[in-house]
Amino acid sequence: METMKKPQLETHREGKSLKVLRVTGEMGIHMPEHHSTQEVVVVALRGSAALSINGKELNLTQGDVIVIPAGITHSLTAKNSFQALAIMNVESSIIFEQ
């Protein structure tokens, strides 16, 4: 069975109360089900991806912005080369489901 590649997550900037994570990946990368312990704003910078949340699939493309409430499980699959910023409280954590 082939292992699915995951996107890269790196801290892009961090202030006193907010941090910005850069999410990057090529076509087919998959970020498995996870949630944030606090609200997160996702800003799509490049490419497109399918965001599965609350039983629905949303298409994120360059310029789209979505607010994901705390504790809401979601996943992301890149449709092509994709890059986004995830903006959240510095004390927020991303928890992957098992």
Side-chain angles (χ1 to χ4, degrees):
M1 182 171 157
E2 184 180 330
T3 317
M4 191 169 275
K5 293 182 180 179
K6 295 180 183 177
Q8 292 181 330
L9 289 174
E10 60 183 323
T11 301
H12 181 61
R13 299 272 193 273
E14 190 168 318
K16 287 185 179 182
S17 61
L18 296 174
K19 64 183 171 184
V20 180
L21 302 180
R22 184 184 304 265
V23 181
T24 57
E26 298 304 315
M27 183 172 83
I29 60 95
H30 179 71
M31 183 176 251
E33 288 191 335
H34 61 283
H35 70 273
S36 177
T37 56
Q38 297 187 38
E39 185 174 68
V40 60
V41 176
V42 177
V43 181
L45 299 177
R46 180 184 72 205
S48 63
L51 176 70
S52 296
I53 184 170
N54 287 333
K56 296 179 183 175
E57 187 171 293
L58 305 173
N59 189 40
L60 290 180
T61 59
Q62 183 177 345
D64 287 346
V65 178
I66 186 168
V67 177
I68 302 173
I72 299 296
T73 299
H74 55 283
S75 64
L76 181 108
T77 303
K79 295 182 176 183
N80 49 43
S81 181
F82 182 73
Q83 185 176 71
L85 297 177
I87 305 160
M88 62 186 74
N89 186 287
V90 293
E91 296 184 11
S92 183
S93 297
I94 296 174
I95 310 289
F96 287 91
E97 311 300 323
Q98 298 232 0

